[in-house]
């Protein structure tokens, strides 16, 4: 996947790629030559500054958290350095679509813990031995919680928006429907109807979006045209969705499948944000994780946008999240307004 077309709200930071050699996966298989795509906002050479790692959602790139980065936002590059890492399988870091030696279906399956471990390898490559925080939304929020379990003393804080600690049967069924739309017809429009309407939005939010677009079919046509500019490879998304389905922090080595005990092991102060309703990652999963982490704050955002609450697509929620995260990180609310 080449870099998707720039969008007006995205930050045009220099795109970097680290070649990290042979990388062992949880399965015992290897990625022949791990490539870790990433961007840096701020001054990485100034190690007196706090460093935040941003991690991205399923099917997205390092631009996924741009709504939280910038002057006056939660992560202001004038005061903190932000490294945003592209996840395995997103077409920029090592993926089925871009591997020179393991392309297509020969690319090994990977897990969310493999994503986290590849990000740790990137930080080691950059000589970073501690973080102020790890932040992410959706699959990024799931990675953030996994960071807290896998590397409990590596960061001070976690920001996990619309996360799950263990993928629900509901979420697995949603992903399976998305996979079938791609595998049987290769039809992005059908996939969009499943993933970007039924999963990502609430009925109330889609009613508004469809009305602005001129109707349901007009919205789907416009969204499909926009999505083509993102150049996502179907197999990349399918491979990431399998990692999504299999996730459970409780299967981290040492926890014998005990999700609650794994969450209780998190030492970082954790902020978990959830909307009123989420038809992809059920709200109850975020609430349960906040209850089981010893030092956690649950933020309920009164959004009717569903899973999209944690994105630039909901301006009011984005403003609240920037203020709340800035406060959580120790910044003044005024600086994030």
């Amino acid at each position: 996947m080449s870099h998707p077309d720039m969008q007006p709200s995205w930050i045009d930071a220099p795109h970097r790629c680290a070649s990290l050699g042979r990388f062992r996966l949880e399965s015992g298989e290897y990625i022949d030559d791990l490539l870790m795509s990433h961007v840096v906002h701020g001054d990485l050479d100034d190690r007196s500054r706090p460093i935040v790692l941003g991690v991205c959602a399923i099917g997205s790139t390092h631009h996924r958290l741009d709504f939280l980065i910038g002057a006056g936002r939660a992560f202001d590059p004038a005061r903190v350095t932000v490294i945003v890492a592209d996840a395995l399988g997103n077409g920029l870091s090592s993926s089925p679509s871009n591997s020179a030696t393991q392309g297509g279906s020969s690319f090994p399956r990977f897990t969310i813990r493999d994503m986290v471990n590849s990000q740790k390898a990137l930080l080691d490559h950059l000589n970073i031995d501690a973080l102020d925080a790890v932040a992410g939304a959706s699959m990024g929020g799931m990675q953030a919680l996994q960071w807290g379990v896998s590397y409990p003393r590596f960061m001070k804080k976690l920001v996990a928006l619309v996360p799950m600690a263990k993928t629900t049967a509901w979420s697995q069924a949603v992903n399976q429907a998305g996979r079938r739309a791609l595998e049987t017809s290769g039809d992005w429009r059908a996939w969009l109807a499943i993933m970007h309407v039924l999963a990502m939005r609430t009925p109330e939010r889609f009613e508004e979006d469809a009305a602005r677009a001129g109707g349901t079919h007009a919205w789907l046509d416009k969204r499909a045209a926009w999505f083509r500019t993102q150049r996502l490879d179907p197999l990349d998304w399918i491979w990431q969705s399998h990692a999504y389905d299999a996730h459970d922090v409780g299967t981290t080595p040492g926890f014998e499948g005990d999700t609650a005990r794994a969450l209780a092991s998190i030492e970082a102060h954790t902020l978990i944000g959830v909307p009123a309703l989420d038809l992809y990652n059920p709200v109850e999963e975020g609430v349960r994780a906040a209850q089981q982490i010893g030092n956690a704050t649950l933020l309920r955002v009164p959004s009717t946008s569903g899973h999209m609450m944690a994105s630039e697509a909901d301006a009011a929620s984005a403003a609240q999240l920037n203020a709340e995260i800035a406060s959580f990180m120790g910044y003044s609310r005024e600086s994030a307004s």
Side-chain angles (χ1 to χ4, degrees):
M1 169 179 167
S2 58
H3 191 287
D5 291 355
M6 287 296 294
Q7 304 297 308
S9 60
W10 287 359
I11 304 170
D12 193 9
H15 182 207
R16 311 181 186 200
C17 194
S19 181
L20 303 181
R22 200 163 189 244
F23 179 73
R24 189 178 190 277
L25 300 169
E26 278 196 316
S27 64
E29 294 187 85
Y30 287 85
I31 294 175
D32 288 343
D33 184 6
L34 176 64
L35 300 176
M36 286 300 296
S37 166
H38 60 289
V39 295
V40 177
H41 304 279
D43 185 1
L44 192 56
D45 292 329
D46 182 358
R47 295 305 171 93
S48 67
R49 294 157 52 100
I51 300 175
V52 172
L53 175 67
V55 289
C56 56
I58 186 171
S60 74
T61 70
H62 51 265
H63 292 293
R64 178 61 177 81
L65 296 181
D66 282 1
F67 79 104
L68 297 176
I69 300 168
R73 293 183 176 179
F75 302 120
D76 187 339
R79 47 196 321 178
V80 61
T81 298
V82 186
I83 302 166
V84 189
D86 285 297
L88 293 178
N90 81 337
L92 293 177
S93 287
S94 289
S95 306
S97 67
N98 66 13
S99 174
T101 60
Q102 299 169 291
S105 60
S106 67
F107 195 83
R109 293 283 183 90
F110 50 83
T111 66
I112 284 182
R113 267 187 300 279
D114 289 323
M115 294 178 188
V116 168
N117 291 336
S118 70
Q119 294 152 14
K120 178 62 164 59
L122 172 64
L123 297 181
D124 291 344
H125 173 76
L126 297 174
N127 296 314
I128 295 169
D129 57 11
L131 294 169
D132 203 47
V134 177
S138 187
M139 190 179 76
M142 294 157 72
Q143 290 167 74
L145 294 181
Q146 185 62 58
W147 261 99
V149 174
S150 293
Y151 302 100
R153 297 180 181 86
F154 198 82
M155 79 299 295
K156 297 176 184 175
K157 296 184 178 182
L158 300 173
V159 177
L161 306 178
V162 292
M164 295 183 290
K166 178 180 180 179
T167 303
T168 64
W170 174 270
S171 307
Q172 291 168 344
V174 170
N175 282 341
Q176 176 65 2
R179 282 192 295 270
R180 292 296 291 165
L182 294 178
E183 292 167 345
T184 59
S185 66
D187 185 357
W188 282 113
R189 198 173 184 273
W191 177 86
L192 285 165
I194 294 166
M195 300 306 305
H196 283 227
V197 179
L198 301 180
M200 300 291 179
R201 287 163 167 78
T202 61
E204 181 176 349
R205 172 61 192 248
F206 186 64
E207 195 73 28
E208 297 170 2
D209 289 349
R212 282 194 294 268
T216 298
H217 294 289
W219 184 92
L220 285 168
D221 288 341
K222 291 175 182 177
R223 190 68 177 175
W226 174 86
F227 202 77
R228 283 192 288 273
T229 71
Q230 302 306 289
R231 302 188 181 92
L232 181 63
D233 184 277
L235 198 59
D236 288 345
W237 187 87
I238 288 169
W239 253 232
Q240 283 198 333
S241 74
H242 284 303
Y244 204 109
D245 286 358
H247 186 58
D248 180 357
V249 297
T251 56
T252 305
F255 294 99
E256 292 78 43
D258 190 332
T259 307
R261 186 159 66 88
L263 286 169
S265 75
I266 293 176
E267 298 183 17
H269 187 188
T270 302
L271 177 67
I272 292 179
V274 296
L277 173 67
D278 190 333
L279 296 175
Y280 191 22
N281 290 359
V283 168
E284 294 78 13
E285 296 308 304
V287 173
R288 184 176 294 111
Q291 292 170 340
Q292 293 173 335
I293 296 169
N295 188 13
T297 299
L298 178 66
L299 172 63
R300 292 184 180 269
V301 178
S303 169
T304 59
S305 291
H307 197 70
M308 290 175 54
M309 173 275 287
S311 74
E312 64 182 20
D314 185 328
S317 294
Q320 181 179 354
L321 287 170
N322 271 287
E324 295 282 0
I325 294 169
S327 177
F328 174 75
M329 295 301 298
Y331 306 148
S332 67
R333 286 181 181 269
E334 290 75 15
S335 70
S337 61

